Amino acid sequence: MSKRIVVSSLIGAVALGGIAAGSMVWASTPSNPTVENSSARYVAPIAGTAGSLTFAAEVTDGSGIRDLKVLAWPKSSDLKPTAEELAHAEPATCRKTGTETSACTYTLPVTEDEAADMPEGLWYVSVLATANDGDTKFEPEAATFTFTR
């Protein structure tokens, strides 16, 4: 066997080994869920008809999405929710749109009496996404909306 063939074979084996090792590292690298295209919309109650707050987002993770917890809070407050606190918040409804992605929507009806007790101005929507593999992503300001009566 010539030296050229042996050297070429060794280079090929090293290259394949590097590709395989890189693939294993890439495949085993954990990734947290992503929350994208999020939006919040508030509609004030009118003449006995309830208004609503609606939050929507696209949530993605390689293992799929288990849930998305949502909390709206006024900027004027001292509230700064944490991921631990959001674990106990209300869940959005998530609909699978692909192997890794879900479209999640959260809707909260708001009555006139409730609206009367809420501070006007800028509000934030915080979210906590949890993947099927247990990884999480906390977004303290995933979206904003303006609350008016």
Side-chain angles (χ1 to χ4, degrees):
M1 191 180 244
S2 76
K3 285 184 182 181
R4 185 183 306 179
I5 293 173
V6 171
V7 170
S8 295
S9 296
L10 287 175
I11 291 172
V14 168
L16 284 176
I19 290 170
S23 296
M24 288 185 343
V25 167
W26 180 76
S28 66
T29 303
S31 65
N32 290 340
T34 59
V35 179
E36 299 177 323
N37 303 319
S38 59
S39 64
R41 180 172 179 243
Y42 172 72
V43 176
I46 300 174
T49 303
S52 65
L53 164 63
T54 303
F55 172 81
E58 183 177 285
V59 187
T60 304
D61 187 81
S63 69
I65 299 302
R66 181 183 311 158
D67 66 22
L68 181 73
K69 302 291 181 111
V70 181
L71 177 68
W73 54 281
K75 179 182 179 185
S76 63
S77 74
D78 290 331
L79 183 66
K80 301 289 186 244
T82 65
E84 292 77 24
E85 291 168 334
L86 250 75
H88 305 288
E90 293 186 18
T93 300
C94 295
R95 178 180 50 84
K96 201 170 185 175
T97 58
T99 56
E100 300 178 350
T101 305
S102 292
C104 299
T105 305
Y106 172 79
T107 302
L108 177 68
V110 179
T111 67
E112 288 182 80
D113 288 343
E114 291 167 333
D117 292 335
M118 298 165 74
E120 290 188 299
L122 185 65
W123 283 57
Y124 295 115
V125 178
S126 299
V127 298
L128 177 66
T130 303
N132 287 332
D133 63 7
D135 289 342
T136 61
K137 174 68 174 181
F138 174 59
E139 292 281 345
E141 297 174 12
T144 61
F145 67 94
T146 302
F147 178 85
T148 58
R149 288 185 191 90

